[in-house]
Amino acid sequence: MNIYDKAHELAQALKDSQEVQEITAAVKLIDADPDSKRMLDDFRNRQNELQQRMMSGDMPSPEEMENMEKQFEVLSLNLNIRRLFDAERRLSVIIQDVNKIIADSLQHLYGAQM
């Protein structure tokens, strides 16, 4: 059994998953609507900026976090954007589950420390 072949099979299974298909479809619909695309792009840019700041130790203020939450709620009113967010969340859960399965399979090497 070649572990790299299995990794490529897993990658293909993810590409073929319902979640990735839903993300792709939602992105196409959003891209076709300039207002939705602009709102989502603005949100993603602000989200990335905050994440970069947090990684460098600069924690955003509670007001900034509240503002991002409100912007997320407003974006979620857009059906196509909500569809994208929902599919991204489901894909994220799958990836977390796969990571846990892999980590759990190696737990015996290090005891219960993982």
Side-chain angles (χ1 to χ4, degrees):
M1 171 184 4
N2 183 323
I3 200 160
Y4 293 103
D5 290 342
K6 294 294 182 186
H8 287 289
E9 286 179 34
L10 176 59
Q12 188 61 51
L14 285 170
K15 282 184 187 179
D16 295 340
S17 72
Q18 182 68 33
E19 291 76 13
V20 169
Q21 292 174 17
E22 288 177 17
I23 289 169
T24 302
V27 167
K28 285 180 183 176
L29 291 171
I30 292 166
D31 285 347
D33 178 7
D35 289 334
S36 294
K37 180 163 177 39
R38 180 189 47 76
M39 288 187 318
L40 181 61
D41 288 346
D42 288 347
F43 177 76
R44 297 280 198 211
N45 288 335
R46 292 193 62 215
Q47 191 177 40
N48 286 334
E49 289 171 12
L50 283 178
Q51 288 174 344
Q52 290 296 321
R53 284 178 46 201
M54 290 167 64
M55 288 173 39
S56 68
D58 180 15
M59 297 307 289
S61 69
E63 293 82 19
E64 288 175 297
M65 294 304 292
E66 184 177 326
N67 190 4
M68 285 299 291
E69 287 178 30
K70 286 180 182 176
Q71 189 175 5
F72 177 83
E73 290 171 9
V74 168
L75 283 175
S76 294
L77 296 175
N78 178 304
L79 294 178
N80 292 327
I81 293 175
R82 182 170 61 221
R83 181 177 169 195
L84 174 65
F85 287 164
D86 289 345
E88 287 176 336
R89 180 187 45 74
R90 289 191 309 276
L91 181 61
S92 177
V93 168
I94 290 171
I95 292 169
Q96 289 172 356
D97 290 347
V98 168
N99 283 333
K100 182 172 179 357
I101 291 166
I102 293 168
D104 288 351
S105 76
L106 301 174
Q107 190 172 18
H108 71 281
L109 295 173
Y110 304 102
Q113 298 170 345
M114 290 184 77

